[in-house]
Amino acid sequence: MHVVATAGHVDHGKSTLVHRLTGMWPDRLAEEQRRGLTIDLGFAWTTFHGRDIAFVDVPGHERFVGNMLAGVGPVAAVMFVVAANEGWMPQSEEHFAALQALGVTHTLVVITKADLADPGPAVAQVRERFPGAPVVSATDPERVRAELVALVDALPAPDPDADVRLWVDRSFTVRGAGTVVTGTLAAGTIRVGDELECGDRRVTVRGLQSLGEDHRMVTAVARVAVNVRGVDRHEIARGDTLRTPGAWLDTSEVDVAVRAEDTLPRQLMLHIGSAGVPVHVRPLGEVGARLRLARPLPLRIGDIGVLRDPGGHRIAAGIEVLDVRPVALRRRGDARARAEQLATGRVAPPVCARTDELRAMGFPVEGNQVGEWVVDTRWWAQQREAAVGAVDQWAAEHDIAAGMPLEALRREVGLPAVELVAPLLAGSGLQIADGRVCRPGAGLPQRVDQAVRAVEERLAGEPFRALEAAELTELGLGAKELAAAVRAGRLTRVADGVVLGADVIERAAEVLAKLPQPFTVAEAKRAWNTTRRVAVPLLESLDTRRVTRRAEDGTRHLL
């Protein structure tokens, strides 16, 4: 199927022309039929030479420009109508400006009411605006049909496997079916049974219609009516979307390239897809701007929209989305640098992002793949170098620490997730242990090493006679220094403030092996020639290591 929107000044015969081509009157509202004036979007369809063509008929009155943009926004081809008896009129100019802003290049111009006036002047006016576009008279309907066929045949082929983003233009209830929404499916495929996102909720496709017929599947391009379960009619309206779950990011701030002849006001309406949203405009250079949206929309890089003055109905500019996750502009010079980047018409992708985020933003998934992340190769190498420096600096400032905490290192080098630290450090010579990063085999600082040597000398002759707390303090061995010595494998901790030699477990077991089995705490204490302060926690350490086992009567035996 192909979808064509109409455009043109009010009362130039757009709806009449659609009716003549399709046999269907597009005006559906009672007020439209009573007043003979298109107010909202109308829909009709037919088949020409084997091509199914659906028309989105838009209002031409200046009061309904927002409705017109909602109809034209998702459509790639336009049938522009100009009446011979009036020629080019104000809304002709406004609709033309809207099409220019939207970048619509597939256009057919039809001159109506040629029976009321010489069409020559109107044709001349049209050719000034649409050089190269075919111009035909409505008095020759077969020629109009032939040109419509040529128009739709020239449209680029849609991607049936693309992520779905259906801009809703109508929402209503069908008795016995529930909520139904309609829109122009520009890319992708919708199937009965699909789960789609609508804002922050999931909905299920119960049924599909296209051109008045039921379908199990509809592929772009198509006018489609979707019967959905999971959302009330009052909870979804024009400007909302049905979309592939997880494939789109709602954003309320975007950086755009701007096509404007005049300086933009700060407050405008952004029309994109079928949505119309108030925005605050912050100019960035001559051809760029940052838009702050009154409500978030699912946008991607490359999306085209229109900025309109909501008061004067003037088309202010066309925009192309360049970034849907723009960087913050906090420091002096940030805005200038951003303006220079936007002026190139291209924004570099994030140096580190999840693959699904890149896809949702509209960037190609290119770069070094690290799990579910994609990283810029040059940036990744720089962060590895920075990580090594950060760990060495940490070690210099915390000489008895076990290493730099993973989270501290993540923040220092600017990684978005701690899961990236390990792959970043691969090949760097650093190691991760117990949630900390250090260099392998890092020794004790000299002051601690000397103190530990003194302890080792004391324990050499009496391996089970732990130094008292005061003696350790006198040597300069506090809790942190002792912990560092234990991590280094120089001492063994058997209780708070009780440390023995590195091989004390083996030596203790050797002594116990000479005792009659089972043995008591007192017997172990005497055999080790130590105090109860040492013997009890040492025996508990042996139990924990499954060197000994304690019986219910308090005795133990070697395993």
Side-chain angles (χ1 to χ4, degrees), residues 215-263:
H215 294 269
R216 298 293 299 174
M217 176 181 75
V218 175
T219 299
V221 170
R223 284 295 304 173
V224 61
V226 187
N227 178 204
V228 291
R229 180 193 298 115
V231 62
D232 186 82
R233 176 180 71 86
H234 302 291
E235 297 170 324
I236 183 169
R238 178 173 296 172
D240 292 330
T241 59
L242 295 179
R243 55 191 193 255
T244 301
W248 300 87
L249 295 175
D250 283 325
T251 181
S252 56
E253 196 170 56
V254 294
D255 282 352
V256 300
V258 179
R259 300 182 297 277
E261 296 182 0
D262 302 319
T263 302

Side-chain angles (χ1 to χ4, degrees), residues 134-197:
V135 181
V136 297
S137 173
T139 58
D140 188 352
E142 282 307 312
R143 175 77 187 285
V144 175
R145 291 186 178 93
E147 291 294 347
L148 279 169
V149 168
L151 176 71
V152 299
D153 282 352
L155 292 174
D159 180 2
D161 299 320
D163 297 321
V164 169
R165 179 182 55 177
L166 179 73
W167 290 99
V168 174
D169 50 41
R170 289 180 65 206
S171 172
F172 51 92
T173 300
V174 174
R175 181 174 297 177
T179 303
V180 175
V181 299
T182 68
T184 299
L185 181 63
T189 300
I190 301 178
R191 299 172 178 84
V192 173
D194 280 353
E195 275 200 351
L196 299 174
E197 280 182 347

Side-chain angles (χ1 to χ4, degrees), residues 175-441:
R175 181 174 297 177
T179 303
V180 175
V181 299
T182 68
T184 299
L185 181 63
T189 300
I190 301 178
R191 299 172 178 84
V192 173
D194 280 353
E195 275 200 351
L196 299 174
E197 280 182 347
C198 175
D200 58 357
R201 71 178 68 199
R202 291 288 183 97
V203 299
T204 303
V205 178
R206 297 180 60 186
L208 290 168
Q209 273 200 355
S210 185
L211 305 189
E213 296 183 358
D214 292 335
H215 294 269
R216 298 293 299 174
M217 176 181 75
V218 175
T219 299
V221 170
R223 284 295 304 173
V224 61
V226 187
N227 178 204
V228 291
R229 180 193 298 115
V231 62
D232 186 82
R233 176 180 71 86
H234 302 291
E235 297 170 324
I236 183 169
R238 178 173 296 172
D240 292 330
T241 59
L242 295 179
R243 55 191 193 255
T244 301
W248 300 87
L249 295 175
D250 283 325
T251 181
S252 56
E253 196 170 56
V254 294
D255 282 352
V256 300
V258 179
R259 300 182 297 277
E261 296 182 0
D262 302 319
T263 302
L264 295 178
R266 291 303 178 98
Q267 303 297 327
L268 289 169
M269 288 288 294
L270 170 65
H271 293 270
I272 196 161
S274 65
V277 178
V279 295
H280 173 81
V281 181
R282 177 181 179 178
L284 293 172
E286 296 182 359
V287 293
R290 176 159 295 181
L291 307 182
R292 188 177 301 117
L293 284 63
R295 68 178 178 91
L297 293 176
L299 304 181
R300 279 187 180 176
I301 294 166
D303 281 344
I304 303 295
V306 170
L307 291 175
R308 180 176 68 93
D309 180 356
H313 307 293
R314 180 178 66 91
I315 302 298
I319 63 98
E320 179 181 354
V321 175
L322 298 181
D323 195 350
V324 298
R325 286 290 186 269
V327 296
L329 305 177
R330 296 192 181 99
R331 296 173 300 180
R332 178 176 296 182
D334 282 354
R336 183 183 304 108
R338 190 59 166 176
E340 292 174 355
Q341 192 175 31
L342 296 181
T344 67
R346 185 179 182 275
V347 172
V351 291
C352 181
R354 287 188 170 89
T355 53
D356 56 352
E357 290 178 338
L358 285 175
R359 169 188 167 195
M361 294 168 69
F363 284 113
V365 181
E366 299 174 348
N368 183 22
Q369 193 91 25
V370 181
E372 63 178 7
W373 297 81
V374 176
V375 298
D376 177 81
T377 302
R378 181 178 178 184
W379 174 85
W380 190 246
Q382 292 172 343
Q383 302 318 106
R384 178 179 287 115
E385 183 178 344
V388 172
V391 171
D392 288 342
Q393 180 67 25
W394 176 276
E397 296 174 356
H398 307 79
D399 57 1
I400 59 172
M404 188 173 186
L406 278 174
E407 178 59 22
L409 180 59
R410 182 198 70 79
R411 292 195 302 267
E412 181 68 23
V413 298
L415 295 178
V418 73
E419 68 197 64
L420 289 169
V421 176
L424 178 71
L425 298 181
S428 68
L430 300 176
Q431 68 178 19
I432 299 175
D434 299 325
R436 293 175 177 268
V437 184
C438 63
R439 286 196 176 275

Side-chain angles (χ1 to χ4, degrees), residues 12-14 17 81-85 110-115 119 136-138:
H12 275 204
K14 296 186 294 298
L17 178 59
V81 177
V82 179
N85 61 329
V110 180
I111 304 298
T112 59
K113 305 187 180 182
D115 55 331
V136 297
S137 173

